[in-house]
């Protein structure tokens, strides 16, 4: 039986993309909704989860501001519905 890490290594060696859930399933993200899925290179997918685990968008924005971003800037995270006024 192969572990998650084994599968990740196979994907990496074969340069296969891996499926990322933009809103993690562990916090309620939809497993099969294409809008919640992105195919990422394995190394970038792993890097994302190394940095941000399965935290919420708001928590990630907090971490970016707290530890990574130029202190002269602020990274703001808002729900799309708060800024999108598409009336179609
Ligand atoms: Zn992921």
């Amino acid at each position: 039986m192969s572990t998650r890490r084994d599968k990740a290594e196979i994907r990496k060696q074969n340069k296969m993309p891996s499926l990322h859930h933009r809103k993690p399933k562990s916090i309620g993200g939809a497993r099969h909704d294409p809008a919640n899925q992105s195919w990422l290179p394995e190394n970038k997918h792993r890097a994302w989860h190394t940095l941000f685990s399965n935290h919420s968008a708001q928590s990630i924005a907090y971490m970016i501001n707290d530890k990574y971003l130029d202190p002269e800037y602020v990274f703001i995270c808002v729900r799309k519905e708060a800024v999108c006024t598409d009336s179609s």
Side-chain angles (χ1 to χ4, degrees):
M1 187 169 105
S2 48
T3 65
R4 179 182 294 188
R5 192 164 190 86
D6 292 338
K7 290 177 183 173
E9 189 58 35
I10 291 168
R11 283 193 301 270
K12 182 179 175 187
Q13 290 174 358
N14 294 330
K15 300 189 183 323
M16 296 170 62
S18 64
L19 181 60
H20 172 66
H21 291 87
R22 297 168 63 138
K23 180 178 181 179
K25 296 176 293 182
S26 61
I27 58 171
R31 178 181 295 266
H32 301 293
D33 181 358
N36 194 41
Q37 299 174 337
S38 291
W39 289 96
L40 303 175
E42 178 61 28
N43 61 336
K44 292 181 180 178
H45 191 186
R46 190 178 299 180
W48 174 267
H49 287 288
T50 297
L51 289 172
F52 304 119
S53 185
N54 283 346
H55 288 282
S56 69
Q58 291 285 342
S59 293
I60 291 168
Y62 176 83
M63 287 185 261
I64 288 170
N65 286 319
D66 189 48
K67 300 291 185 190
Y68 298 98
L69 194 64
D70 179 335
E72 295 178 8
Y73 289 83
V74 62
F75 184 87
I76 297 171
C77 180
V78 295
R79 296 186 68 85
K80 282 184 178 177
E81 62 215 29
V83 293
C84 292
T85 56
D86 185 4
S87 60
S88 59

